[in-house]
Amino acid sequence: MAAPGENLRINADRLWDAIHEMAKIGPGVAGGNNRQTLTDEDGEGRHLFKRWCEEAGMSVAVDEMGTMFARREGTDPDALPVYVGSHLDTQPTGGRYDGVLGVLGGLEIVRSVNDLGIKTKHPIVVTNWTNEEGTRFAPAMLASGVFAGVIDRDWAYDRQDKEGKRFGDELERIGWKGEEPVGGRKMKAFFELHIEQGPILEAEGVDIGVVTHGQGLRWIECTVTGKGSHTGSTPMPMRKNAGRGLAQITELVHEIAMKHQPNAVGAIGQIDVYPNSRNIIPEKVVFTIDFRSHLLDTLEAMVAELQEKAPGICEALGCSFESTISGQFDPPAFDETCVKAIRDAAERLGYSHRNIVSGAGHDACWINRVAQTAMVMCPCVDGLSHNEAEEISKEWAQAGADVLFHAVVETAEIVE
Ligand code: HGY
Ligand code: MN
Ligand code: MN
């Protein structure tokens, strides 16, 4: 396969403008975004993305999970397409670039090959995966998980948000439930561009992360049940305070992760206290533990230690403990051919690069199970993400999108 010439680059200004146009939809309160999945804002962002894709000459299909596939034809309509994309949904206090850079980076590739009059043998399909974040409807990477055949579609439809709204109903309500069955599409390869969401690339002054592996994840949803009673008149020895169970398990999660340094992380990010009244001792606390490691045995050891110790902690407080795994995937190793295409592209384009393990989960982690898959990362300021202050430079966006461009177009095979 002929590699694209080193002078082939995307239009960085156009990409940067598209990212900031998309950021106007579902603005946060501090300069970032709150465009959570299946909200009206998500629907609005989808319409904008669809319009841009159609203006670039692509046809847009939508599957039963709402995932969007924008197709640019190749010279061989039967050749397996090269897919490229990420997600447009955000955290409630999300940044402008998490996911969006990967979707609009894919669109920019098509806009660039259109401008350059480049034809490829294989079609190129730009993808927006529904509900990557998993913040409104757990688990994360829900639609790509259904596509990869590891999550059942109807189970996904029944997932509920905090207000008891069903995923399937909300998908219909915003008008983005497609007809196409999920998972039928065959891919030659899938590439995803994403900000690092960690500090390594910036700290080392490296432009490109060549993602060889990702961390595995376990989300353990825990319920500690005590007894709600008056915070003023209940004698201390009589209390069954579920809040103390949360406090001690929070510390236990931290200790377990610290025991496995540097190969593990752990925290509790989502907490609901019931009845959450100033003068009622917490009757019940529901929270989700997020354990991650790129080593499967470490991940499993952390879960085992938590499940061994948490019930005893709660029992000593007069409380009960229940848990269920609400999200999981094992550490992915990405496809070496695709990883090499990314590394060679960075080399050819003169961008500094290094191998990296992705700390965050991505749709690529699931798609890696059904297609040759790889990721390219760019730095982000202070490694900050899942925070409205998330920031990247236009140069970093350009470097990532240029490398993505070369990897995708080379894999799609330029037709002279
Ligand atoms: O949780 C994750 O790693 C991803 O950002 N959804
Ligand atoms: Mn993301
Ligand atoms: Mn994210």
Side-chain angles (χ1 to χ4, degrees):
M1 263 178 275
E6 69 176 50
N7 59 343
L8 275 185
R9 312 243 171 182
I10 56 104
N11 179 326
D13 291 336
R14 181 169 57 193
L15 172 59
W16 198 246
D17 291 348
I19 289 169
H20 291 89
E21 191 63 29
M22 181 60 73
K24 291 175 186 168
I25 299 173
V29 295
N33 275 112
N34 178 7
R35 192 172 54 244
Q36 295 182 61
T37 196
L38 308 190
T39 58
D40 294 339
E41 294 75 14
D42 180 20
E44 199 185 330
R46 290 162 172 266
H47 282 296
L48 177 60
F49 174 58
K50 181 170 186 278
R51 175 164 63 81
W52 282 341
C53 290
E54 288 171 343
E55 287 167 357
M58 292 193 271
S59 57
V60 178
V62 183
D63 76 9
E64 291 170 334
M65 283 294 289
T67 295
M68 300 171 74
F69 302 98
R71 179 183 169 109
R72 180 189 196 250
E73 290 308 329
T75 56
D76 176 354
D78 300 327
L80 287 184
V82 175
Y83 284 69
V84 53
S86 190
H87 61 93
L88 291 174
D89 67 307
T90 76
Q91 289 283 333
T93 53
R96 291 167 286 177
Y97 310 98
D98 173 358
V100 174
L101 175 63
V103 176
L104 300 186
L107 169 64
E108 178 50 37
I109 289 173
V110 171
R111 286 173 163 175
S112 295
V113 291
N114 287 346
D115 289 350
L116 295 162
I118 290 175
K119 290 188 174 59
T120 58
K121 175 188 173 194
H122 297 259
I124 295 171
V125 178
V126 184
T127 307
N128 168 32
W129 297 103
T130 301
N131 189 32
E132 188 281 340
E133 292 293 357
T135 180
R136 183 182 176 197
F137 298 100
M141 297 101 77
L142 188 61
S144 50
V146 176
F147 185 93
V150 291
I151 296 175
D152 173 75
R153 184 205 62 187
D154 292 338
W155 181 85
Y157 280 167
D158 285 337
R159 306 302 288 154
Q160 294 186 13
D161 68 7
K162 271 186 181 173
E163 285 141 39
K165 290 179 182 166
R166 280 181 71 251
F167 178 96
D169 297 339
E170 284 293 279
L171 184 61
E172 287 215 74
R173 183 186 66 79
I174 66 166
W176 282 94
K177 182 177 178 184
E179 302 291 316
E180 179 181 311
V182 186
R185 290 170 172 261
K186 297 298 171 227
M187 304 177 174
K188 180 179 183 190
F190 174 68
F191 290 96
E192 181 168 3
L193 165 62
H194 207 287
I195 61 173
E196 180 197 341
Q197 299 182 295
I200 297 169
L201 295 175
E202 184 190 37
E204 294 181 0
V206 171
D207 301 319
I208 295 294
V210 181
V211 186
T212 57
H213 299 77
Q215 288 199 118
L217 167 149
R218 294 292 184 270
W219 278 0
I220 309 168
E221 184 171 301
C222 305
T223 302
V224 178
T225 307
K227 187 173 182 181
S229 62
H230 200 299
T231 48
S233 53
T234 309
M236 293 304 280
M238 287 176 64
R239 296 182 179 208
K240 295 181 178 179
N241 185 343
R244 292 183 68 202
L246 165 68
Q248 293 182 26
I249 291 173
T250 299
E251 266 315 299
L252 173 62
V253 165
H254 184 78
E255 283 159 19
I256 291 172
M258 293 310 287
K259 197 184 287 183
H260 294 278
Q261 288 308 297
N263 300 320
V265 290
I268 295 173
Q270 172 264 331
I271 299 170
D272 288 307
V273 182
Y274 300 90
N276 202 24
S277 165
R278 290 178 185 79
N279 41 13
I280 299 179
I281 293 164
E283 175 179 331
K284 182 169 76 170
V285 185
V286 181
F287 52 92
T288 301
I289 296 168
D290 182 324
F291 275 140
R292 307 204 193 192
S293 173
H294 67 281
L295 303 172
L296 183 58
D297 55 356
T298 298
L299 194 56
E300 289 174 340
M302 293 202 285
V303 173
E305 183 174 352
L306 183 283
Q307 288 178 335
E308 181 209 330
K309 293 183 175 174
I313 286 173
C314 295
E315 199 181 326
L317 299 169
C319 297
S320 65
F321 176 80
E322 294 166 89
S323 70
T324 178
I325 298 285
S326 63
Q328 62 178 324
F329 60 88
D330 292 347
F334 291 112
D335 174 78
E336 287 180 9
T337 306
C338 292
V339 169
K340 184 177 182 307
I342 287 169
R343 188 178 297 112
D344 291 351
E347 201 64 42
R348 182 184 316 132
L349 288 157
Y351 290 123
S352 57
H353 57 89
R354 58 104 84 200
N355 290 351
I356 196 167
V357 172
S358 173
H362 303 283
D363 295 307
C365 297
W366 279 140
I367 303 307
N368 186 51
R369 291 184 176 224
V370 293
Q372 292 179 297
T373 296
M375 294 189 72
V376 47
M377 285 188 168
C378 74
C380 53
V381 175
D382 299 335
L384 186 64
S385 183
H386 286 195
N387 182 306
E388 292 204 43
E390 177 186 279
E391 199 51 77
I392 67 173
S393 70
K394 189 194 297 189
E395 293 67 30
W396 286 343
Q398 164 143 27
D402 278 343
V403 168
L404 185 74
F405 178 23
H406 279 231
V408 166
V409 166
E410 181 181 353
T411 307
E413 298 178 40
I414 294 176
V415 173
E416 301 303 336

Short mmCIF file of all heavy atoms in Angstrom, two decimals, residues 288-320:
data_model
loop_
_atom_site.label_atom_id
_atom_site.label_comp_id
_atom_site.label_asym_id
_atom_site.label_seq_id
_atom_site.Cartn_x
_atom_site.Cartn_y
_atom_site.Cartn_z
N THR A 288 -20.59 3.79 43.13
CA THR A 288 -19.89 2.95 42.14
C THR A 288 -18.38 3.08 42.30
O THR A 288 -17.84 4.19 42.26
CB THR A 288 -20.29 3.36 40.70
OG1 THR A 288 -21.70 3.22 40.56
CG2 THR A 288 -19.60 2.46 39.67
N ILE A 289 -17.74 1.96 42.51
CA ILE A 289 -16.26 1.90 42.57
C ILE A 289 -15.73 1.72 41.16
O ILE A 289 -16.26 0.92 40.38
CB ILE A 289 -15.82 0.70 43.44
CG1 ILE A 289 -16.27 0.90 44.89
CG2 ILE A 289 -14.30 0.50 43.37
CD1 ILE A 289 -16.13 -0.35 45.75
N ASP A 290 -14.71 2.49 40.80
CA ASP A 290 -14.09 2.41 39.47
C ASP A 290 -12.65 1.93 39.68
O ASP A 290 -11.79 2.70 40.11
CB ASP A 290 -14.11 3.80 38.81
CG ASP A 290 -13.52 3.81 37.40
OD1 ASP A 290 -12.55 3.07 37.16
OD2 ASP A 290 -14.03 4.55 36.54
N PHE A 291 -12.40 0.65 39.42
CA PHE A 291 -11.05 0.07 39.47
C PHE A 291 -10.53 -0.09 38.05
O PHE A 291 -11.28 -0.52 37.16
CB PHE A 291 -11.08 -1.32 40.11
CG PHE A 291 -11.02 -1.36 41.62
CD1 PHE A 291 -11.80 -2.28 42.34
CD2 PHE A 291 -10.18 -0.52 42.35
CE1 PHE A 291 -11.75 -2.34 43.73
CE2 PHE A 291 -10.12 -0.58 43.74
CZ PHE A 291 -10.92 -1.48 44.43
N ARG A 292 -9.23 0.20 37.83
CA ARG A 292 -8.65 -0.02 36.50
C ARG A 292 -7.20 -0.48 36.62
O ARG A 292 -6.48 -0.08 37.54
CB ARG A 292 -8.67 1.28 35.67
CG ARG A 292 -10.06 1.89 35.62
CD ARG A 292 -10.27 2.74 34.44
NE ARG A 292 -11.50 3.52 34.62
CZ ARG A 292 -12.10 4.21 33.67
NH1 ARG A 292 -11.58 4.24 32.46
NH2 ARG A 292 -13.22 4.87 33.90
N SER A 293 -6.80 -1.31 35.65
CA SER A 293 -5.40 -1.72 35.53
C SER A 293 -5.18 -2.27 34.13
O SER A 293 -6.12 -2.81 33.53
CB SER A 293 -5.04 -2.80 36.56
OG SER A 293 -3.72 -3.27 36.30
N HIS A 294 -3.94 -2.17 33.61
CA HIS A 294 -3.69 -2.80 32.32
C HIS A 294 -3.28 -4.26 32.51
O HIS A 294 -3.02 -4.98 31.53
CB HIS A 294 -2.62 -2.03 31.52
CG HIS A 294 -1.26 -2.06 32.12
ND1 HIS A 294 -0.90 -1.26 33.19
CD2 HIS A 294 -0.17 -2.82 31.85
CE1 HIS A 294 0.35 -1.50 33.52
NE2 HIS A 294 0.82 -2.45 32.72
N LEU A 295 -3.23 -4.69 33.77
CA LEU A 295 -2.91 -6.09 34.09
C LEU A 295 -4.17 -6.78 34.61
O LEU A 295 -4.72 -6.39 35.66
CB LEU A 295 -1.80 -6.16 35.15
CG LEU A 295 -0.50 -5.43 34.79
CD1 LEU A 295 0.45 -5.40 35.99
CD2 LEU A 295 0.15 -6.06 33.56
N LEU A 296 -4.62 -7.80 33.91
CA LEU A 296 -5.90 -8.45 34.27
C LEU A 296 -5.83 -9.06 35.67
O LEU A 296 -6.77 -8.89 36.46
CB LEU A 296 -6.25 -9.53 33.23
CG LEU A 296 -7.59 -10.25 33.45
CD1 LEU A 296 -8.75 -9.26 33.48
CD2 LEU A 296 -7.81 -11.31 32.35
N ASP A 297 -4.73 -9.70 36.03
CA ASP A 297 -4.69 -10.34 37.35
C ASP A 297 -4.71 -9.31 38.47
O ASP A 297 -5.31 -9.52 39.55
CB ASP A 297 -3.49 -11.31 37.49
CG ASP A 297 -2.16 -10.62 37.19
OD1 ASP A 297 -2.21 -9.43 36.81
OD2 ASP A 297 -1.12 -11.27 37.35
N THR A 298 -4.13 -8.14 38.21
CA THR A 298 -4.19 -7.05 39.22
C THR A 298 -5.63 -6.57 39.37
O THR A 298 -6.13 -6.39 40.48
CB THR A 298 -3.28 -5.89 38.77
OG1 THR A 298 -1.94 -6.35 38.71
CG2 THR A 298 -3.39 -4.70 39.71
N LEU A 299 -6.30 -6.39 38.25
CA LEU A 299 -7.69 -5.92 38.28
C LEU A 299 -8.56 -6.90 39.07
O LEU A 299 -9.32 -6.52 39.97
CB LEU A 299 -8.18 -5.81 36.83
CG LEU A 299 -9.46 -5.06 36.53
CD1 LEU A 299 -9.44 -3.64 37.06
CD2 LEU A 299 -9.72 -5.05 35.01
N GLU A 300 -8.39 -8.17 38.79
CA GLU A 300 -9.21 -9.18 39.47
C GLU A 300 -8.85 -9.28 40.95
O GLU A 300 -9.72 -9.44 41.80
CB GLU A 300 -9.05 -10.53 38.76
CG GLU A 300 -9.75 -10.51 37.38
CD GLU A 300 -9.52 -11.76 36.55
OE1 GLU A 300 -8.56 -12.50 36.81
OE2 GLU A 300 -10.33 -11.98 35.62
N ALA A 301 -7.57 -9.07 41.29
CA ALA A 301 -7.16 -9.12 42.70
C ALA A 301 -7.78 -7.95 43.48
O ALA A 301 -8.20 -8.10 44.63
CB ALA A 301 -5.64 -9.07 42.79
N MET A 302 -7.86 -6.80 42.83
CA MET A 302 -8.45 -5.63 43.51
C MET A 302 -9.92 -5.87 43.81
O MET A 302 -10.40 -5.62 44.92
CB MET A 302 -8.27 -4.38 42.63
CG MET A 302 -6.83 -3.95 42.47
SD MET A 302 -6.70 -2.21 42.01
CE MET A 302 -7.18 -2.27 40.29
N VAL A 303 -10.64 -6.39 42.82
CA VAL A 303 -12.07 -6.66 43.01
C VAL A 303 -12.26 -7.70 44.12
O VAL A 303 -13.09 -7.54 45.03
CB VAL A 303 -12.71 -7.14 41.69
CG1 VAL A 303 -14.16 -7.59 41.92
CG2 VAL A 303 -12.66 -6.03 40.65
N ALA A 304 -11.43 -8.74 44.10
CA ALA A 304 -11.56 -9.81 45.10
C ALA A 304 -11.32 -9.27 46.51
O ALA A 304 -12.07 -9.58 47.45
CB ALA A 304 -10.58 -10.93 44.78
N GLU A 305 -10.31 -8.43 46.67
CA GLU A 305 -10.01 -7.89 48.01
C GLU A 305 -11.14 -6.99 48.50
O GLU A 305 -11.57 -7.05 49.66
CB GLU A 305 -8.69 -7.11 48.00
CG GLU A 305 -8.32 -6.62 49.41
CD GLU A 305 -6.95 -5.96 49.49
OE1 GLU A 305 -6.20 -6.00 48.49
OE2 GLU A 305 -6.64 -5.40 50.56
N LEU A 306 -11.70 -6.21 47.58
CA LEU A 306 -12.81 -5.33 47.97
C LEU A 306 -13.99 -6.19 48.44
O LEU A 306 -14.57 -5.95 49.50
CB LEU A 306 -13.20 -4.46 46.77
CG LEU A 306 -14.27 -3.40 46.89
CD1 LEU A 306 -15.67 -3.97 46.87
CD2 LEU A 306 -14.06 -2.50 48.08
N GLN A 307 -14.32 -7.21 47.66
CA GLN A 307 -15.51 -8.01 47.97
C GLN A 307 -15.30 -8.88 49.21
O GLN A 307 -16.25 -9.24 49.89
CB GLN A 307 -15.92 -8.83 46.74
CG GLN A 307 -16.52 -7.89 45.68
CD GLN A 307 -16.92 -8.57 44.39
OE1 GLN A 307 -16.39 -9.60 44.08
NE2 GLN A 307 -17.85 -7.95 43.65
N GLU A 308 -14.04 -9.14 49.52
CA GLU A 308 -13.73 -9.91 50.75
C GLU A 308 -13.89 -9.02 51.98
O GLU A 308 -14.42 -9.44 53.00
CB GLU A 308 -12.30 -10.44 50.64
CG GLU A 308 -11.83 -11.27 51.81
CD GLU A 308 -10.31 -11.13 51.99
OE1 GLU A 308 -9.62 -10.91 50.96
OE2 GLU A 308 -9.84 -11.19 53.13
N LYS A 309 -13.47 -7.74 51.89
CA LYS A 309 -13.39 -6.89 53.10
C LYS A 309 -14.62 -6.01 53.33
O LYS A 309 -14.96 -5.67 54.48
CB LYS A 309 -12.15 -6.01 53.01
CG LYS A 309 -10.85 -6.81 53.10
CD LYS A 309 -9.62 -5.92 53.07
CE LYS A 309 -8.34 -6.75 53.28
NZ LYS A 309 -7.12 -5.92 53.12
N ALA A 310 -15.30 -5.60 52.26
CA ALA A 310 -16.39 -4.62 52.43
C ALA A 310 -17.54 -5.13 53.30
O ALA A 310 -18.02 -4.39 54.18
CB ALA A 310 -16.90 -4.18 51.06
N PRO A 311 -17.99 -6.38 53.14
CA PRO A 311 -19.11 -6.84 53.99
C PRO A 311 -18.79 -6.76 55.49
O PRO A 311 -19.61 -6.33 56.29
CB PRO A 311 -19.31 -8.28 53.53
CG PRO A 311 -18.80 -8.32 52.14
CD PRO A 311 -17.61 -7.39 52.13
N GLY A 312 -17.54 -7.11 55.87
CA GLY A 312 -17.16 -7.08 57.29
C GLY A 312 -17.14 -5.66 57.84
O GLY A 312 -17.59 -5.40 58.97
N ILE A 313 -16.69 -4.72 56.99
CA ILE A 313 -16.70 -3.31 57.41
C ILE A 313 -18.13 -2.88 57.75
O ILE A 313 -18.41 -2.27 58.78
CB ILE A 313 -16.11 -2.42 56.27
CG1 ILE A 313 -14.60 -2.60 56.18
CG2 ILE A 313 -16.50 -0.96 56.45
CD1 ILE A 313 -13.96 -1.89 54.99
N CYS A 314 -19.05 -3.25 56.87
CA CYS A 314 -20.44 -2.81 57.04
C CYS A 314 -21.10 -3.53 58.22
O CYS A 314 -21.81 -2.92 59.02
CB CYS A 314 -21.22 -3.04 55.76
SG CYS A 314 -20.59 -2.01 54.41
N GLU A 315 -20.79 -4.80 58.36
CA GLU A 315 -21.38 -5.59 59.46
C GLU A 315 -20.99 -4.96 60.80
O GLU A 315 -21.81 -4.79 61.70
CB GLU A 315 -20.87 -7.03 59.37
CG GLU A 315 -21.73 -8.04 60.13
CD GLU A 315 -21.13 -9.44 60.00
OE1 GLU A 315 -20.56 -9.73 58.91
OE2 GLU A 315 -21.19 -10.20 60.99
N ALA A 316 -19.75 -4.54 60.92
CA ALA A 316 -19.26 -3.94 62.18
C ALA A 316 -20.00 -2.63 62.48
O ALA A 316 -20.06 -2.18 63.62
CB ALA A 316 -17.77 -3.67 62.06
N LEU A 317 -20.62 -2.05 61.47
CA LEU A 317 -21.37 -0.79 61.66
C LEU A 317 -22.87 -1.04 61.81
O LEU A 317 -23.68 -0.11 61.83
CB LEU A 317 -21.12 0.13 60.45
CG LEU A 317 -19.67 0.56 60.22
CD1 LEU A 317 -19.54 1.24 58.86
CD2 LEU A 317 -19.20 1.48 61.35
N GLY A 318 -23.23 -2.35 61.80
CA GLY A 318 -24.66 -2.69 61.88
C GLY A 318 -25.36 -2.48 60.56
O GLY A 318 -26.58 -2.32 60.50
N CYS A 319 -24.58 -2.47 59.48
CA CYS A 319 -25.17 -2.25 58.14
C CYS A 319 -24.98 -3.50 57.28
O CYS A 319 -24.17 -4.37 57.59
CB CYS A 319 -24.46 -1.08 57.46
SG CYS A 319 -24.65 0.49 58.33
N SER A 320 -25.74 -3.54 56.16
CA SER A 320 -25.54 -4.65 55.20
C SER A 320 -24.84 -4.10 53.95
O SER A 320 -24.85 -2.88 53.71
CB SER A 320 -26.90 -5.23 54.80
OG SER A 320 -27.64 -4.22 54.09
#
